[in-house]
């Protein structure tokens, strides 16, 4: 029988489990704290728990999440990219970014991805499997252990489509924000989606303070379809309607990500169309110079066209920033490093 994934259990589930093995429910909180606050690596570290219970946990459950296999530190800005191995041998990647306001980690939510965005390296081999809540948590725990520094922000923007693994991602958010665990604030978390409309609505219904980012990348459906197959399923109109629902429910602004690809979506008229689309919406646009990947011939927009694009949005009173490129020298963009590692180890 497979061992129980104890790190993915919330406090109530843990208490129920302990009662089921004839332990007192109050032990649940202690065990939860050991796992999520003190981030133990083995049950023998739980000093206020009886040897007998530790033995039972050892036999019935597993703590293992991820194992660091490689890391690259950017010489430019200290951004660190980690490759982690999962229990079944699959490799995932996470990125640590150091900002003045604290450390932020970009985690993966799936092994691979099935969304097929044309410019993205994570999707080239399709989806292998969903990540468990424990495997998402452990990316952060392992990075804290490796650096000895606290992580205060989490962006679910690594490999995978978080809303294609909705339940596990929501459980991860519940666990990482738990006051008896790592206790990261909901406001410190951002989930990014390519636009799965029904899930955006479901997420809005939860009325959390977790930030929502939408990968838009185009101001109209025709252009979006060229870049993102998901645009064949949901129109921009549907996405905007879902975003307005999120704003109504949470009173929080939405971030629209827009990767600028030379001569595809970076012209003046595109900036104007985007402004018209977002007029009056509580939002912020994050312009990302596309990171060219080997397998496709998309080019990064010139600095001048990026600046012009930004200026036009500003003129139209749209909140906009250009995402600071980090870790360029370590191939920190989505899926690039994992791809390279897989190629050299196969
Ligand atoms: N699936 C989710 C989250 C992962 S991708 C989503 O689509 O939002 C995180 C962000 O990086 C998305 O906006 C994605 O479109 C963008 N991205 C992926 N590959 C990129 C590349 N090569 N250059 C620039 N942005 C990229």
């Amino acid at each position: 029988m497979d061992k129980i994934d104890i790190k993915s259990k919330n406090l109530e589930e843990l208490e129920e489990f302990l009662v089921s093995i004839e332990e007192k429910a109050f032990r649940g909180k202690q065990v939860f704290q050991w796992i999520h606050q003190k981030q133990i690596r083995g049950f023998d570290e739980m000093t206020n728990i009886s040897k007998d219970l530790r033995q039972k946990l050892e036999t019935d459950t597993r703590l293992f999440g991820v194992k660091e296999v490689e890391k690259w530190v950017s010489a430019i800005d200290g951004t660190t990219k980690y490759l982690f191995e999962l229990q079944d041998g699959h490799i995932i990647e996470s990125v640590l970014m150091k900002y003045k306001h604290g450390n932020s980690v970009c985690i993966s939510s799936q092994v691979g991805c099935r969304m097929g965005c044309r410019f993205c390296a994570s999707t080239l081999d399709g989806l292998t499997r969903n990540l468990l809540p424990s495997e998402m948590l452990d990316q952060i725990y392992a990075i804290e252990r490796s650096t000895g520094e606290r992580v205060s922000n989490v962006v679910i923007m690594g490999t995978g489509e978080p809303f294609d693994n909705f339940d596990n991602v929501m459980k991860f958010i519940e666990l990482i924000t738990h006051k008896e665990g790592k206790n990261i604030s909901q406001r410190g978390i951002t989930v990014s989606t390519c636009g799965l409309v029904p899930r955006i609505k479901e997420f809005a219904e939860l009325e959390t303070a977790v930030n929502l980012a939408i990968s838009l990348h185009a101001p109209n459906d025709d252009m979006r379809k060229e870049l993102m197959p998901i645009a064949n399923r949901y129109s921009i109109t549907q996405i905007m309607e879902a975003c307005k629902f999120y704003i109504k429910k949470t009173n929080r602004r939405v971030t629209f990500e827009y990767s600028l690809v030379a001569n595809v979506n970076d012209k003046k008229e595109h900036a104007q169309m985007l402004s018209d689309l977002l007029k009056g919406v509580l939002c912020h646009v994050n312009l990302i110079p596309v990171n060219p990947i080997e397998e496709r011939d998309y080019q990064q927009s010139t600095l001048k066209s990026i600046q012009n694009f930004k200026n036009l949005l500003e003129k139209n009173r749209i909140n906009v920033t250009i995402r600071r490129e980090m870790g360029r020298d370590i191939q920190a963009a989505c899926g690039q490093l994992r791809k390279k590692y897989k190629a050299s180890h196969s």
Side-chain angles (χ1 to χ4, degrees), residues 113 117 119-121 156-162 192-194 213 215 217 228 257 259 288-293 323 333-334 336:
C113 182
C117 298
F119 44 81
C120 179
I156 312 174
M157 282 193 193
T159 296
E161 166 50 47
S192 174
T193 177
C194 64
S215 299
H217 304 322
M228 307 171 73
E257 289 158 284
S259 294
I288 314 168
V290 82
N291 249 302
I293 59 172
R323 184 187 292 175
C334 275
Q336 291 187 346

Side-chain angles (χ1 to χ4, degrees), residues 152 276 342:
S152 51
D276 295 341
K342 269 171 73 179

Side-chain angles (χ1 to χ4, degrees), residues 136-185:
M136 290 182 251
L137 288 168
D138 229 34
Q139 296 173 55
I140 295 155
Y141 297 174
I143 288 175
E144 287 202 333
R145 207 157 45 232
S146 173
T147 57
E149 290 174 27
R150 192 183 136 76
V151 169
S152 51
N153 290 74
V154 177
V155 294
I156 312 174
M157 282 193 193
T159 296
E161 166 50 47
F163 283 179
D164 189 36
N165 183 17
F166 192 82
D167 293 346
N168 285 342
V169 167
M170 292 308 124
K171 186 77 171 288
F172 158 76
I173 291 173
E174 178 192 345
L175 292 168
I176 198 83
T177 55
H178 200 288
K179 64 180 191 331
E180 303 295 344
K182 258 216 63 59
N183 199 12
I184 290 184
S185 101

